[in-house]
Protein backbone atom coordinates (compact mmCIF):
# COMPACT_ATOMS: atom_id res chain seq x y z
CA UNK A 1 0.00 0.00 0.00
CA UNK A 2 1.25 3.44 -0.89
CA UNK A 3 0.32 6.69 0.88
CA UNK A 4 1.34 9.92 -0.85
CA UNK A 5 0.83 13.43 0.54
CA UNK A 6 -0.93 15.69 -1.98
CA UNK A 7 -1.69 18.73 0.15
CA UNK A 8 0.08 20.35 3.09
CA UNK A 9 -1.28 23.85 3.55
CA UNK A 10 -1.73 25.31 7.02
CA UNK A 11 -3.83 22.74 8.85
CA UNK A 12 -5.19 21.18 5.66
CA UNK A 13 -3.88 17.77 4.65
CA UNK A 14 -4.68 15.46 1.74
CA UNK A 15 -3.30 12.05 0.80
CA UNK A 16 -3.61 9.61 -2.07
CA UNK A 17 -3.84 6.02 -0.86
CA UNK A 18 -3.20 3.21 -3.35
CA UNK A 19 -4.17 -0.36 -2.46
CA UNK A 20 -2.84 -2.72 -5.11
CA UNK A 21 -5.01 -5.46 -6.56
CA UNK A 22 -2.58 -8.04 -5.17
CA UNK A 23 -2.86 -6.58 -1.63
CA UNK A 24 -6.64 -6.55 -1.83
CA UNK A 25 -6.70 -10.11 -3.17
CA UNK A 26 -4.46 -11.25 -0.31
CA UNK A 27 -6.78 -9.57 2.21
CA UNK A 28 -9.79 -11.33 0.68
CA UNK A 29 -7.97 -14.67 0.91
CA UNK A 30 -7.11 -13.93 4.54
CA UNK A 31 -10.73 -13.22 5.45
CA UNK A 32 -11.97 -16.30 3.58
CA UNK A 33 -9.43 -18.49 5.40
CA UNK A 34 -10.64 -17.10 8.72
CA UNK A 35 -14.23 -17.93 7.84
CA UNK A 36 -13.54 -21.25 6.11
CA UNK A 37 -13.75 -23.53 9.21
CA UNK A 38 -17.37 -22.44 9.76
CA UNK A 39 -18.53 -22.61 6.13
CA UNK A 40 -20.53 -25.61 4.94
CA UNK A 41 -21.57 -26.08 1.29
CA UNK A 42 -23.53 -28.98 -0.12
CA UNK A 43 -21.15 -31.67 -1.32
CA UNK A 44 -18.36 -30.67 1.04
CA UNK A 45 -17.76 -31.27 4.71
CA UNK A 46 -17.80 -28.29 7.03
CA UNK A 47 -14.46 -26.50 6.81
CA UNK A 48 -13.34 -28.46 3.72
CA UNK A 49 -14.69 -26.17 0.99
CA UNK A 50 -11.94 -25.42 -1.61
CA UNK A 51 -10.62 -21.84 -1.64
CA UNK A 52 -11.49 -21.43 -5.32
CA UNK A 53 -15.13 -22.23 -4.59
CA UNK A 54 -15.18 -19.98 -1.52
CA UNK A 55 -13.80 -17.16 -3.62
CA UNK A 56 -16.36 -17.72 -6.35
CA UNK A 57 -19.29 -17.81 -3.95
CA UNK A 58 -18.26 -15.29 -1.28
CA UNK A 59 -15.40 -13.31 -2.82
CA UNK A 60 -17.47 -10.38 -4.04
CA UNK A 61 -19.21 -10.02 -0.68
CA UNK A 62 -15.91 -10.16 1.24
CA UNK A 63 -14.21 -7.77 -1.21
CA UNK A 64 -16.02 -4.68 0.14
CA UNK A 65 -15.26 -5.59 3.76
CA UNK A 66 -11.61 -6.24 2.94
CA UNK A 67 -11.31 -2.94 1.09
CA UNK A 68 -12.90 -0.96 3.95
CA UNK A 69 -10.81 -2.66 6.66
CA UNK A 70 -7.57 -2.13 4.72
CA UNK A 71 -8.23 1.55 4.06
CA UNK A 72 -9.33 2.11 7.69
CA UNK A 73 -6.14 0.40 8.82
CA UNK A 74 -4.04 2.63 6.58
CA UNK A 75 -5.76 5.74 7.97
CA UNK A 76 -5.28 4.65 11.58
CA UNK A 77 -1.63 3.88 10.93
CA UNK A 78 -1.18 7.29 9.29
CA UNK A 79 -2.63 9.12 12.30
CA UNK A 80 -0.53 7.08 14.73
CA UNK A 81 2.68 7.77 12.81
CA UNK A 82 1.99 11.43 11.98
CA UNK A 83 0.45 12.36 15.32
CA UNK A 84 -2.22 14.32 13.47
CA UNK A 85 -5.61 14.64 15.15
CA UNK A 86 -8.37 15.40 12.61
CA UNK A 87 -10.66 18.30 13.55
CA UNK A 88 -13.58 16.38 12.05
CA UNK A 89 -14.23 13.05 10.36
CA UNK A 90 -11.77 12.79 7.41
CA UNK A 91 -13.31 12.89 3.94
CA UNK A 92 -12.57 9.68 2.07
CA UNK A 93 -13.62 8.91 -1.50
CA UNK A 94 -12.68 6.56 -4.34
CA UNK A 95 -10.50 8.26 -6.93
CA UNK A 96 -11.11 5.66 -9.66
CA UNK A 97 -14.89 5.57 -9.96
CA UNK A 98 -14.64 3.05 -12.79
CA UNK A 99 -12.90 0.52 -10.53
CA UNK A 100 -13.46 -3.17 -11.29
CA UNK A 101 -12.08 -6.37 -9.73
CA UNK A 102 -8.44 -6.75 -10.67
CA UNK A 103 -7.72 -2.99 -10.57
CA UNK A 104 -5.75 -1.18 -7.92
CA UNK A 105 -7.89 0.78 -5.45
CA UNK A 106 -7.15 4.50 -5.40
CA UNK A 107 -8.53 6.54 -2.51
CA UNK A 108 -8.34 10.24 -1.69
CA UNK A 109 -8.32 11.24 1.99
CA UNK A 110 -8.47 14.85 3.19
CA UNK A 111 -8.90 16.50 6.57
CA UNK A 112 -8.03 19.49 8.71
CA UNK A 113 -5.81 18.62 11.61
CA UNK A 114 -6.11 20.11 15.05
CA UNK A 115 -3.37 22.67 15.75
CA UNK A 116 -0.56 22.34 18.24
CA UNK A 117 -1.71 24.13 21.40
CA UNK A 118 1.07 26.22 23.02
CA UNK A 119 1.90 25.82 26.69
CA UNK A 120 0.32 28.42 28.97
CA UNK A 121 1.80 29.53 32.29
CA UNK A 122 -1.41 29.50 34.31
CA UNK A 123 0.38 30.67 37.45
CA UNK A 124 1.10 33.96 35.69
CA UNK A 125 -2.59 34.79 35.34
CA UNK A 126 -3.84 37.49 37.73
CA UNK A 127 -7.58 37.68 38.32
CA UNK A 128 -9.98 39.54 40.57
CA UNK A 129 -12.94 37.77 42.13
CA UNK A 130 -15.87 39.86 43.31
CA UNK A 131 -17.45 38.98 46.65
CA UNK A 132 -20.84 40.34 47.70
CA UNK A 133 -22.35 39.75 51.14
CA UNK A 134 -26.06 39.43 51.89
CA UNK A 135 -26.94 42.32 54.21
CA UNK A 136 -30.01 42.87 56.36
CA UNK A 137 -31.71 44.78 53.54
CA UNK A 138 -31.38 41.92 51.06
CA UNK A 139 -32.43 39.31 53.63
CA UNK A 140 -35.47 41.38 54.67
CA UNK A 141 -36.53 41.85 51.05
CA UNK A 142 -36.25 38.10 50.40
CA UNK A 143 -38.18 37.38 53.60
CA UNK A 144 -40.94 39.82 52.58
CA UNK A 145 -41.16 38.21 49.14
CA UNK A 146 -41.45 34.82 50.82
CA UNK A 147 -44.21 36.11 53.06
CA UNK A 148 -46.14 37.64 50.17
CA UNK A 149 -46.00 34.38 48.21
CA UNK A 150 -47.23 32.37 51.20
CA UNK A 151 -50.90 33.28 51.07
CA UNK A 152 -52.89 32.87 54.25
CA UNK A 153 -56.60 33.47 54.40
CA UNK A 154 -58.76 34.50 57.35
CA UNK A 155 -62.54 34.80 57.64
CA UNK A 156 -63.95 38.16 56.60
CA UNK A 157 -67.36 39.80 56.68
CA UNK A 158 -69.18 40.82 53.54
CA UNK A 159 -69.08 39.82 49.90
CA UNK A 160 -66.29 37.87 48.21
CA UNK A 161 -63.92 39.82 45.97
CA UNK A 162 -61.51 38.67 43.34
CA UNK A 163 -58.46 37.29 45.18
CA UNK A 164 -60.52 36.16 48.17
CA UNK A 165 -61.02 32.54 49.05
CA UNK A 166 -64.50 31.04 49.35
CA UNK A 167 -65.29 27.75 51.06
CA UNK A 168 -68.23 26.14 49.29
CA UNK A 169 -70.25 23.02 48.63
CA UNK A 170 -71.13 22.38 44.99
CA UNK A 171 -72.96 19.82 42.88
CA UNK A 172 -72.53 19.83 39.13
CA UNK A 173 -75.16 18.55 36.69
CA UNK A 174 -75.26 18.03 32.93
CA UNK A 175 -78.69 17.55 31.34
CA UNK A 176 -80.11 17.50 34.88
CA UNK A 177 -77.94 14.55 35.94
CA UNK A 178 -75.04 14.70 38.41
CA UNK A 179 -71.73 13.53 36.92
CA UNK A 180 -68.70 11.86 38.43
CA UNK A 181 -66.20 14.29 39.97
CA UNK A 182 -68.67 17.18 39.87
CA UNK A 183 -69.37 17.49 43.59
CA UNK A 184 -67.45 18.53 46.71
CA UNK A 185 -68.01 19.82 50.23
CA UNK A 186 -66.03 22.49 52.08
CA UNK A 187 -63.96 23.13 48.98
CA UNK A 188 -61.52 26.10 49.31
CA UNK A 189 -61.41 28.09 46.07
CA UNK A 190 -59.36 31.21 45.46
CA UNK A 191 -61.34 33.47 43.14
CA UNK A 192 -59.34 34.48 40.09
CA UNK A 193 -56.94 31.54 40.35
CA UNK A 194 -58.32 29.88 37.21
CA UNK A 195 -58.58 26.59 39.07
CA UNK A 196 -62.09 25.89 37.74
CA UNK A 197 -63.37 26.00 34.17
CA UNK A 198 -63.73 29.46 32.57
CA UNK A 199 -66.70 31.49 33.82
CA UNK A 200 -67.14 29.61 37.10
CA UNK A 201 -65.15 31.69 39.56
CA UNK A 202 -66.34 35.04 38.18
CA UNK A 203 -69.95 34.17 39.09
CA UNK A 204 -69.04 33.71 42.75
CA UNK A 205 -67.67 37.25 43.12
CA UNK A 206 -70.10 39.32 45.23
CA UNK A 207 -71.55 36.36 47.17
CA UNK A 208 -71.43 36.19 50.96
CA UNK A 209 -71.44 33.36 53.48
CA UNK A 210 -74.82 31.58 53.38
CA UNK A 211 -75.61 32.62 49.79
CA UNK A 212 -76.61 30.01 47.23
CA UNK A 213 -76.31 30.27 43.47
CA UNK A 214 -76.65 28.10 40.39
CA UNK A 215 -73.54 28.72 38.32
CA UNK A 216 -74.12 28.11 34.62
CA UNK A 217 -71.04 27.34 32.51
CA UNK A 218 -70.01 25.28 29.50
CA UNK A 219 -67.13 22.80 29.49
CA UNK A 220 -64.43 23.64 26.94
CA UNK A 221 -64.51 21.72 23.66
CA UNK A 222 -61.06 20.31 24.41
CA UNK A 223 -61.99 19.22 27.95
CA UNK A 224 -60.28 16.00 29.05
CA UNK A 225 -63.49 14.04 29.80
CA UNK A 226 -65.20 13.29 26.48
CA UNK A 227 -68.62 12.91 28.12
CA UNK A 228 -68.42 16.54 29.34
CA UNK A 229 -66.47 18.29 26.57
CA UNK A 230 -68.41 21.20 25.07
CA UNK A 231 -71.53 20.55 27.15
CA UNK A 232 -73.41 23.15 29.27
CA UNK A 233 -73.52 22.46 33.00
CA UNK A 234 -75.15 23.86 36.12
CA UNK A 235 -73.34 23.87 39.45
CA UNK A 236 -75.51 24.25 42.55
CA UNK A 237 -73.25 26.22 44.90
CA UNK A 238 -73.55 27.14 48.56
CA UNK A 239 -71.05 29.60 50.05
CA UNK A 240 -70.14 28.55 53.57
CA UNK A 241 -67.35 31.01 54.32
CA UNK A 242 -65.56 33.95 52.74
CA UNK A 243 -61.90 34.56 53.55
CA UNK A 244 -59.63 37.48 52.72
CA UNK A 245 -55.87 37.43 52.34
CA UNK A 246 -54.19 37.74 55.73
CA UNK A 247 -50.80 39.35 56.06
CA UNK A 248 -48.23 36.75 57.14
CA UNK A 249 -46.73 37.19 60.59
CA UNK A 250 -42.97 36.83 60.45
CA UNK A 251 -42.31 34.73 63.53
CA UNK A 252 -40.92 31.34 64.50
CA UNK A 253 -44.14 29.60 63.43
CA UNK A 254 -43.81 31.15 59.99
CA UNK A 255 -40.19 29.93 59.79
CA UNK A 256 -41.19 26.36 60.68
CA UNK A 257 -43.32 26.21 57.53
CA UNK A 258 -40.06 26.47 55.58
CA UNK A 259 -38.13 23.87 57.55
CA UNK A 260 -36.34 26.24 59.95
CA UNK A 261 -36.46 26.04 63.73
CA UNK A 262 -36.79 29.79 64.21
CA UNK A 263 -37.06 33.07 62.34
CA UNK A 264 -33.35 33.75 62.96
CA UNK A 265 -32.48 30.35 61.50
CA UNK A 266 -34.63 31.12 58.45
CA UNK A 267 -32.83 34.45 58.01
CA UNK A 268 -29.49 32.66 58.13
CA UNK A 269 -30.74 30.14 55.59
CA UNK A 270 -31.92 32.94 53.28
CA UNK A 271 -28.60 34.76 53.67
CA UNK A 272 -26.66 31.63 52.68
CA UNK A 273 -28.91 31.09 49.66
CA UNK A 274 -28.49 34.69 48.53
CA UNK A 275 -24.73 34.57 48.92
CA UNK A 276 -24.74 31.34 46.92
CA UNK A 277 -26.54 33.19 44.13
CA UNK A 278 -24.08 36.10 44.39
CA UNK A 279 -21.16 33.64 44.20
CA UNK A 280 -22.64 32.13 41.04
CA UNK A 281 -22.91 35.57 39.45
CA UNK A 282 -19.37 36.47 40.56
CA UNK A 283 -18.08 33.24 39.01
CA UNK A 284 -19.51 34.26 35.63
CA UNK A 285 -17.67 37.58 35.90
CA UNK A 286 -14.31 36.04 36.82
CA UNK A 287 -14.79 33.34 34.18
CA UNK A 288 -15.27 35.98 31.47
CA UNK A 289 -12.20 37.82 32.72
CA UNK A 290 -10.20 34.58 32.63
CA UNK A 291 -11.30 33.75 29.08
CA UNK A 292 -10.51 37.30 27.95
CA UNK A 293 -6.97 36.99 29.32
CA UNK A 294 -6.46 33.59 27.69
CA UNK A 295 -7.76 34.96 24.39
CA UNK A 296 -5.22 37.79 24.61
CA UNK A 297 -2.16 35.69 25.36
CA UNK A 298 -2.80 32.50 23.36
CA UNK A 299 -2.70 32.40 19.58
CA UNK A 300 -2.56 29.51 17.09
CA UNK A 301 -3.98 28.54 13.70
CA UNK A 302 -7.61 27.39 13.66
CA UNK A 303 -9.24 24.75 11.45
CA UNK A 304 -11.34 26.82 8.98
CA UNK A 305 -14.14 24.24 8.94
CA UNK A 306 -14.64 24.52 12.72
CA UNK A 307 -14.69 28.32 12.57
CA UNK A 308 -17.13 28.36 9.64
CA UNK A 309 -19.46 25.90 11.36
CA UNK A 310 -19.40 27.90 14.61
CA UNK A 311 -19.96 31.20 12.75
CA UNK A 312 -22.94 29.70 10.95
CA UNK A 313 -24.41 28.48 14.23
CA UNK A 314 -23.93 31.89 15.88
CA UNK A 315 -25.52 33.71 12.94
CA UNK A 316 -28.45 31.27 12.88
CA UNK A 317 -29.07 31.58 16.62
CA UNK A 318 -28.94 35.39 16.60
CA UNK A 319 -31.25 35.55 13.58
CA UNK A 320 -33.87 33.48 15.40
CA UNK A 321 -33.53 35.67 18.49
CA UNK A 322 -34.28 38.70 16.31
CA UNK A 323 -37.11 36.86 14.50
CA UNK A 324 -38.82 34.83 17.25
CA UNK A 325 -41.98 34.44 15.19
CA UNK A 326 -40.17 32.17 12.71
CA UNK A 327 -40.01 28.56 13.84
CA UNK A 328 -37.93 25.79 12.28
CA UNK A 329 -35.59 26.41 9.37
CA UNK A 330 -38.02 27.76 6.79
CA UNK A 331 -36.20 31.05 6.25
CA UNK A 332 -33.68 32.61 3.86
CA UNK A 333 -30.07 31.49 4.01
CA UNK A 334 -28.27 33.31 6.80
CA UNK A 335 -24.80 34.55 5.91
CA UNK A 336 -22.38 34.99 8.85
CA UNK A 337 -20.89 38.48 9.19
CA UNK A 338 -17.29 39.35 10.03
CA UNK A 339 -18.42 39.92 13.61
CA UNK A 340 -19.90 36.41 13.74
CA UNK A 341 -16.67 34.96 12.34
CA UNK A 342 -14.55 36.85 14.87
CA UNK A 343 -16.68 35.57 17.75
CA UNK A 344 -16.55 32.06 16.26
CA UNK A 345 -12.75 32.24 16.10
CA UNK A 346 -12.59 33.18 19.78
CA UNK A 347 -14.94 30.36 20.79
CA UNK A 348 -13.09 27.73 18.77
CA UNK A 349 -9.68 28.89 20.04
CA UNK A 350 -10.77 28.88 23.67
CA UNK A 351 -12.63 25.61 23.25
CA UNK A 352 -9.54 23.88 21.85
CA UNK A 353 -7.35 25.40 24.57
CA UNK A 354 -9.63 24.31 27.42
CA UNK A 355 -9.94 20.84 25.89
CA UNK A 356 -6.15 20.55 25.73
CA UNK A 357 -5.70 21.74 29.32
CA UNK A 358 -8.38 19.34 30.52
CA UNK A 359 -6.88 16.42 28.62
CA UNK A 360 -3.39 17.04 29.97
CA UNK A 361 -4.78 17.29 33.51
CA UNK A 362 -6.75 14.07 32.90
CA UNK A 363 -10.00 15.80 33.81
CA UNK A 364 -13.03 13.59 33.31
CA UNK A 365 -16.78 13.88 33.79
CA UNK A 366 -17.87 11.14 36.16
CA UNK A 367 -20.91 8.95 35.73
CA UNK A 368 -22.38 10.49 38.88
CA UNK A 369 -21.96 14.02 37.47
CA UNK A 370 -23.62 12.98 34.22
CA UNK A 371 -26.52 11.34 36.04
CA UNK A 372 -27.04 14.48 38.12
CA UNK A 373 -27.03 16.63 34.97
CA UNK A 374 -29.59 14.36 33.29
CA UNK A 375 -31.85 14.41 36.36
CA UNK A 376 -31.62 18.21 36.50
CA UNK A 377 -32.64 18.50 32.84
CA UNK A 378 -35.38 15.88 33.23
CA UNK A 379 -37.11 18.05 35.84
CA UNK A 380 -38.07 20.38 32.99
CA UNK A 381 -40.38 17.64 31.68
CA UNK A 382 -42.67 16.77 34.60
CA UNK A 383 -44.31 13.39 34.14
CA UNK A 384 -41.84 12.42 31.42
CA UNK A 385 -38.65 12.21 33.46
CA UNK A 386 -38.10 8.50 32.78
CA UNK A 387 -38.62 8.91 29.03
CA UNK A 388 -36.17 11.83 28.94
CA UNK A 389 -33.62 9.86 30.96
CA UNK A 390 -33.78 6.94 28.50
CA UNK A 391 -33.61 9.32 25.52
CA UNK A 392 -30.37 10.86 26.79
CA UNK A 393 -28.89 7.47 27.61
CA UNK A 394 -29.39 6.39 23.99
CA UNK A 395 -28.38 9.69 22.36
CA UNK A 396 -24.63 10.35 22.15
CA UNK A 397 -25.08 13.91 20.87
CA UNK A 398 -27.36 14.82 23.79
CA UNK A 399 -24.88 13.28 26.23
CA UNK A 400 -22.12 15.44 24.75
CA UNK A 401 -24.26 18.57 25.12
CA UNK A 402 -24.66 17.80 28.83
CA UNK A 403 -21.06 16.71 29.34
CA UNK A 404 -19.39 19.72 27.67
CA UNK A 405 -20.36 22.44 30.21
CA UNK A 406 -19.46 20.16 33.14
CA UNK A 407 -16.04 19.49 31.62
CA UNK A 408 -15.52 23.21 30.92
CA UNK A 409 -16.41 24.20 34.48
CA UNK A 410 -13.93 21.65 35.86
CA UNK A 411 -11.17 23.03 33.61
CA UNK A 412 -12.03 26.59 34.70
CA UNK A 413 -11.75 25.45 38.34
CA UNK A 414 -8.33 23.97 37.55
CA UNK A 415 -7.11 27.24 36.03
CA UNK A 416 -8.46 29.33 38.92
CA UNK A 417 -6.61 27.07 41.37
CA UNK A 418 -3.31 27.72 39.58
CA UNK A 419 -3.86 31.42 38.85
CA UNK A 420 -3.38 34.27 41.31
CA UNK A 421 -6.88 35.24 42.37
CA UNK A 422 -7.54 38.15 44.72
CA UNK A 423 -10.93 38.80 46.27
CA UNK A 424 -12.60 42.19 46.16
CA UNK A 425 -15.64 42.86 48.32
CA UNK A 426 -18.33 44.79 46.45
CA UNK A 427 -21.91 45.88 46.96
CA UNK A 428 -24.75 44.00 45.36
CA UNK A 429 -25.27 46.89 42.94
CA UNK A 430 -21.64 46.76 41.86
CA UNK A 431 -21.88 43.02 41.30
CA UNK A 432 -25.04 43.51 39.27
CA UNK A 433 -23.30 46.15 37.12
CA UNK A 434 -20.47 43.71 36.42
CA UNK A 435 -22.96 40.99 35.45
CA UNK A 436 -24.93 43.38 33.22
CA UNK A 437 -21.69 44.36 31.49
CA UNK A 438 -21.24 40.72 30.36
CA UNK A 439 -24.35 40.96 28.18
CA UNK A 440 -23.13 44.14 26.53
CA UNK A 441 -19.81 42.68 25.42
Amino acid sequence: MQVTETLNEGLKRAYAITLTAAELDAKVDEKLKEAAPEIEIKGFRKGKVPMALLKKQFGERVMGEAMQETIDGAMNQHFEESGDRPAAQPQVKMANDDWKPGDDVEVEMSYEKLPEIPEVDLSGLELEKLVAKAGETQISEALDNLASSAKNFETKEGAAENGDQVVLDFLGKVDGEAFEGGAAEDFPLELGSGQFIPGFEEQLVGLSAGDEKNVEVSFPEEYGAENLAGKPAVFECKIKEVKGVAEAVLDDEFAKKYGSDSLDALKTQIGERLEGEYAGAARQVVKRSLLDKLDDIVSFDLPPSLVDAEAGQIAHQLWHEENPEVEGHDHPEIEPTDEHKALAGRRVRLGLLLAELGQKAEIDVTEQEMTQAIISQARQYPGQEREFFEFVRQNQQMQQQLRAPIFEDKVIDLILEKATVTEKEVTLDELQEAVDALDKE
Side-chain angles (χ1 to χ4, degrees), residues 269-394:
Q269 180 182 332
I270 290 174
E272 291 173 350
R273 176 179 60 79
L274 289 175
E275 289 186 359
E277 293 175 2
Y278 301 162
R283 178 181 172 81
Q284 294 305 311
V285 175
V286 74
K287 178 179 176 181
R288 173 65 67 84
S289 178
L290 166 61
L291 295 177
D292 287 344
K293 287 181 179 293
L294 290 175
D295 190 38
D296 288 339
I297 65 176
V298 179
S299 178
F300 49 84
D301 291 338
L302 300 176
S305 61
L306 293 186
V307 177
D308 290 344
E310 183 68 23
Q313 189 173 7
I314 292 171
H316 191 265
Q317 179 182 346
L318 293 177
W319 189 90
H320 273 286
E321 289 178 3
E322 295 170 359
N323 300 272
E325 72 282 358
V326 179
E327 297 181 1
H329 303 285
D330 186 17
H331 52 68
E333 185 176 351
I334 303 168
E335 198 67 33
T337 65
D338 290 342
E339 185 179 355
H340 297 148
K341 293 175 182 177
L343 178 56
R346 170 189 164 97
R347 287 187 180 178
V348 171
R349 182 181 302 105
L350 292 173
L352 292 175
L353 175 60
L354 293 180
E356 182 77 3
L357 292 172
Q359 184 178 7
K360 286 184 176 179
E362 298 183 349
I363 289 177
D364 191 24
V365 177
T366 66
E367 192 67 28
Q368 182 179 359
E369 289 168 333
M370 275 298 294
T371 300
Q372 189 59 45
I374 296 172
I375 291 174
S376 178
Q377 287 288 317
R379 292 195 183 109
Q380 299 180 23
Y381 307 93
Q384 298 178 302
E385 291 89 350
R386 182 177 294 276
E387 291 84 349
F388 180 82
F389 198 92
E390 289 304 317
F391 167 73
V392 174
R393 284 297 185 193
Q394 298 172 17

Side-chain angles (χ1 to χ4, degrees), residues 36 39 44-50:
I39 296 177
F44 298 92
R45 286 182 298 159
K46 186 177 181 179
K48 299 298 182 180
V49 182

